[in-house]
């Protein structure tokens, strides 16, 4: 089975959508601060966003590992279990960080803002998904999964600012 990271790098349509509006860049894997997981599990930065945030694989293994996102302002959350789940989130709801209540209504409002600037968003998303061979769930399903991962499963993935020993703040509160 082909690596999804390799597939994204090789498929221009997917890479372009994930870069924007997905705000996901595989060439930005270094976090601006020295951090570690409270559990002591391995932490591997593999992508970033334009605002200085970093996506980390947690633990040992491949692309199926849990993925933690840390922003540049001291917030962090587990956002997906595996790269396939993360890429689906970025394709379906690239505005996921603004969905603090995890509702479809909230997501639809954010989507409308994106559509003002990018009326072909759905077509671009569908081409990117097809290029990667991914079936896409609906927004409600993606947001329900994000809520579950970030608020329930994410409790075991506390990110610590190493020099001071302080934990990052949760990105989402419920």
């Amino acid at each position: 089975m082909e690596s999804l990271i390799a597939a994204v790098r090789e498929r221009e349509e997917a890479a372009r959508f994930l870069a924007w509006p997905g705000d996901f860049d595989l060439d930005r894997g270094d976090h601006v601060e020295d951090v570690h997981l409270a559990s002591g599990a391995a932490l591997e930065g593999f992508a970033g966003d334009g605002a200085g945030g970093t996506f980390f694989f947690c633990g040992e293994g491949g692309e199926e590992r849990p993925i933690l996102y840390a922003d540049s302002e001291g917030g962090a959350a587990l956002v997906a279990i595996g790269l396939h789940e993360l890429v689906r989130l970025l394709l379906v709801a690239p505005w996921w960080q603004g969905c603090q209540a995890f509702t479809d209504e909230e997501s639809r409002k954010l989507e409308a803002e994106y559509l003002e600037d990018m009326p072909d968003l759905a077509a671009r998303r569908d081409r990117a998904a097809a290029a990667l061979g991914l079936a896409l769930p609906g927004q409600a399903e993606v947001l329900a999964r994000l809520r579950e991962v970030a608020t329930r499963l994410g409790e075991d993935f506390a990110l610590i600012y190493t020099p001071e020993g302080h934990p990052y703040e949760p990105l989402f509160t419920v």
Side-chain angles (χ1 to χ4, degrees):
M1 177 179 215
E2 180 182 31
S3 154
L4 188 53
I5 288 176
V8 168
R9 289 188 188 282
E10 293 170 4
R11 291 165 179 88
E12 186 177 337
E13 188 79 35
R16 273 198 320 264
F17 187 93
L18 290 172
W20 189 255
D23 203 9
F24 177 81
D25 184 347
L26 287 169
D27 294 327
R28 294 184 182 198
D30 294 329
H31 195 59
V32 296
E33 299 177 326
D34 187 20
V35 294
H36 68 275
L37 287 173
S39 68
L43 195 62
E44 176 189 344
F46 70 94
D49 65 20
T54 307
F55 293 91
F56 295 95
F57 283 123
C58 301
E60 301 296 327
E63 295 178 354
E64 76 286 350
R65 292 178 281 173
I67 296 173
L68 181 108
Y69 171 79
D71 67 19
S72 61
E73 304 298 317
L78 194 68
V79 294
I81 305 299
L83 189 58
H84 280 83
E85 188 170 281
L86 175 65
V87 169
R88 284 186 185 100
L89 171 65
L90 297 172
L91 289 169
V92 173
W95 45 83
W96 63 273
Q97 291 184 53
C99 290
Q100 295 294 308
F102 306 100
T103 65
D104 194 46
E105 177 183 343
E106 179 184 44
S107 184
R108 296 276 177 213
K109 287 178 184 176
L110 292 166
E111 178 184 30
E113 293 174 17
Y114 272 67
L115 287 170
E116 286 178 20
D117 295 328
M118 195 180 303
D120 64 340
L121 177 79
R124 289 184 58 219
R125 176 200 58 224
D126 293 346
R127 287 192 305 268
L132 296 172
L134 295 176
L136 296 179
Q139 285 186 39
E141 183 180 337
V142 165
L143 294 174
R145 180 63 178 160
L146 175 61
R147 179 184 182 139
E148 176 185 19
V149 170
T151 62
R152 288 193 34 233
L153 305 176
E155 294 173 355
D156 294 333
F157 293 89
L159 189 65
I160 307 296
Y161 176 55
T162 301
E164 296 179 8
H166 297 299
Y168 270 51
E169 293 295 320
L171 281 179
F172 303 104
T173 56
V174 179

